[in-house]
Amino acid sequence: MTLERTVPATAALSPWQWLLIAAGLIALQASILFAMGRLPICACGYVKLWHGVVQSSETSQHIADWYSLSHILHGFLFYGATWLLLPRAPWQARLIVAMLIEGGWEIVENSNWIIERYRAGTVSLDYFGDTIVNSIYDTLFMVLGFLLARKLPVGLTVALAVLFELVMALHIRDNLTLNILMLIHPVEAIRHWQGGPPII
């Protein structure tokens, strides 16, 4: 009796098949958000490549904003987590897992309960949920972070993550760490500090 190394079935998929799966997930995410009543684009009637004013009604309404850095960080974290938890899976399969998690979070994040949680626990009083275009690009920024983490040395990836968190904390007084903290357990002192002007 011979022992043969089993090859995951996913390893046999072509690049085009992986791309079709990823595109299908993006389309599914957009469809669910549309069914939830999310606006396709900003209510202002146009789409900007970048919106840099955090405390405004147009945050999370356009293609990119300061929180896009947090989604790149999601990609870093998902790459590391799937590398540890799914070591035998091809990187494409791990990326699909990351997209499922990110897309799932985007749907939960745009539920009425989470939106009200953000408004009650943070300084985001003008936040009424993401547009579909912003949500889709949030997922694509996560994909970018995942692909960067795959190519960059671990030390450089960690350094970029720390840099992103510091820049966001000092410029918009928010970042991924604070966002998670304020969603789970709001701290009034942090909320008051977040209402101040940019430090840099």
Side-chain angles (χ1 to χ4, degrees), residues 63-102:
I63 288 175
D65 52 43
W66 283 103
Y67 291 103
S68 300
L69 294 178
S70 288
H71 291 280
I72 294 175
L73 285 177
H74 289 180
F76 291 173
L77 294 171
F78 291 156
Y79 181 85
T82 57
W83 182 80
L84 288 172
L85 297 174
L86 303 168
R88 297 187 62 191
W91 70 266
Q92 299 96 328
R94 293 191 285 113
L95 175 57
I96 294 301
V97 170
M99 290 183 69
L100 282 167
I101 298 170
E102 183 76 5

Side-chain angles (χ1 to χ4, degrees), residues 52 54-55 66-67 123 167-175 193-194 196-200:
V54 174
Q55 296 183 31
W66 283 103
Y67 291 103
V123 292
V167 168
M168 291 178 71
L170 293 174
H171 188 70
I172 67 170
R173 293 178 179 253
D174 201 4
N175 56 28
W193 176 80
Q194 288 182 315
I199 298 171
I200 60 170

Side-chain angles (χ1 to χ4, degrees), residues 1-14:
M1 179 178 180
T2 59
L3 295 176
E4 295 182 358
R5 183 171 176 240
T6 57
V7 178
T10 52
L13 296 179
S14 71

